[in-house]
Amino acid sequence: MANRKLDMGTAWVQTTGLMSANRDTISAIAGLFFFLPSMASALFVPELANPSQPAAPAGADPALVMQAMVDQMSAIYASNWPILLAIFIVQFIGSMSLFALLTDRGNPTVGEALGTGLKSMPSYIAAQLLMVLLASLAIGLPLGVISALGGPAVAALAALIAFALIVYVLVKLSLVAPVIAIEGERNPFTAMGRSWQLTKGNSLRIFVFIVLLVLVIGIISALVSGILGLVLAALGDTVATIGNGVVSALVNAILTVVFLVVTVAIYRQLVGATPERTAEIFE
């Protein structure tokens, strides 16, 4: 049987419908699992959001400048990994809980959704690790050998091909999390296979939808953050630091929720939500 074709307009309507129908519970999860952790990151690891630019003499090799920036970010992560790990885990739990909350099978409470999120974590982490491992072995290793044996032009072409393949794999496996949280699939291999099957024939549509969403929301958030940043900067360094942290955390929470609910809308459309639950979305 042929897979359903993703309708981007319908997916966006479903996204706004789900957010409107579940605004209170979504707001609670967003505040607890996305806003507060982002705020903590902005306050305790401010250099991550606003890293200082390494000094570079005029005419310096761009590759060396880029390497210096990578080294700087690596040092920040190495120095603050316990805090960042805790934040990532909390946000992972929040993501899986939100997926579970928006299931079309019954009406779970926030507590039940949180329980599902916690139970889903081992499978979700295992799936993420498997994705990285398989991508490294199937894509990174062969192309790394090819680029090492060839010249700079071959290396650049290999990097471009690797990037395209990684994006393709990420799109194909983009529904792993809802499969685990909503369908209750705990086997990461099965969840990855299920996501691959659901996205069959829709990879380009999903990619275009996400790119358009990133562009539109990215532009809006950049404008809002920039304007508020200028206003806060005029109020002093301390106020600006705290205010920018609040703005950054709020923008991050909103963006995270939007993308998670969009993922649920894509999943529900490709799976086919039950008529009863679909009707509930628009009540």
Side-chain angles (χ1 to χ4, degrees), residues 64-273:
L64 294 178
V65 175
M66 179 60 69
Q67 184 60 48
M69 295 176 63
V70 171
D71 292 341
Q72 182 185 47
M73 294 303 294
S74 298
I76 293 173
Y77 277 101
S79 302
N80 300 279
W81 71 265
I83 296 175
L84 296 176
L85 179 61
I87 290 172
F88 289 148
I89 290 175
V90 170
Q91 291 182 335
F92 280 161
I93 294 173
S95 299
M96 301 305 286
S97 299
L98 187 57
F99 286 136
L101 181 70
L102 299 178
T103 178
D104 62 347
R105 297 173 176 84
N107 296 285
T109 64
V110 174
E112 291 170 341
L114 292 177
T116 300
L118 287 170
K119 294 175 184 177
S120 302
M121 279 302 296
S123 299
Y124 182 59
I125 292 175
Q128 293 293 316
L129 294 175
L130 284 171
M131 287 185 216
V132 174
L133 178 60
L134 293 175
S136 300
L137 293 177
I139 299 174
L141 187 59
L143 291 178
V145 173
I146 293 173
S147 61
L149 296 177
V154 174
L157 179 60
L160 183 61
I161 294 174
F163 176 76
L165 291 174
I166 289 173
V167 170
Y168 175 73
V169 171
L170 289 176
V171 170
K172 297 296 294 180
L173 299 178
S174 60
L175 301 182
V176 166
V179 167
I180 292 174
I182 296 176
E183 296 186 9
E185 179 56 64
R186 296 294 180 257
N187 186 319
F189 289 101
T190 304
M192 292 166 67
R194 171 72 167 152
S195 176
W196 198 280
Q197 183 271 327
L198 285 174
T199 55
K200 185 177 181 180
N202 288 286
S203 301
L204 182 58
R205 292 168 185 258
I206 294 174
F207 174 74
V208 172
F209 186 33
I210 297 300
V211 168
L212 291 175
L213 196 63
V214 168
L215 289 176
V216 173
I217 296 181
I219 291 172
I220 294 174
S221 63
L223 288 174
V224 172
S225 299
I227 293 172
L228 292 178
L230 291 175
V231 173
L232 292 169
L235 301 177
D237 292 341
T238 302
V239 174
T241 298
I242 298 175
N244 286 329
V246 172
V247 172
S248 176
L250 184 60
V251 169
N252 177 75
I254 293 173
L255 292 180
T256 301
V257 166
V258 169
F259 281 108
L260 291 177
V261 180
V262 163
T263 302
V264 172
I266 292 173
Y267 166 82
R268 289 167 68 110
Q269 190 179 145
L270 296 182
V271 171

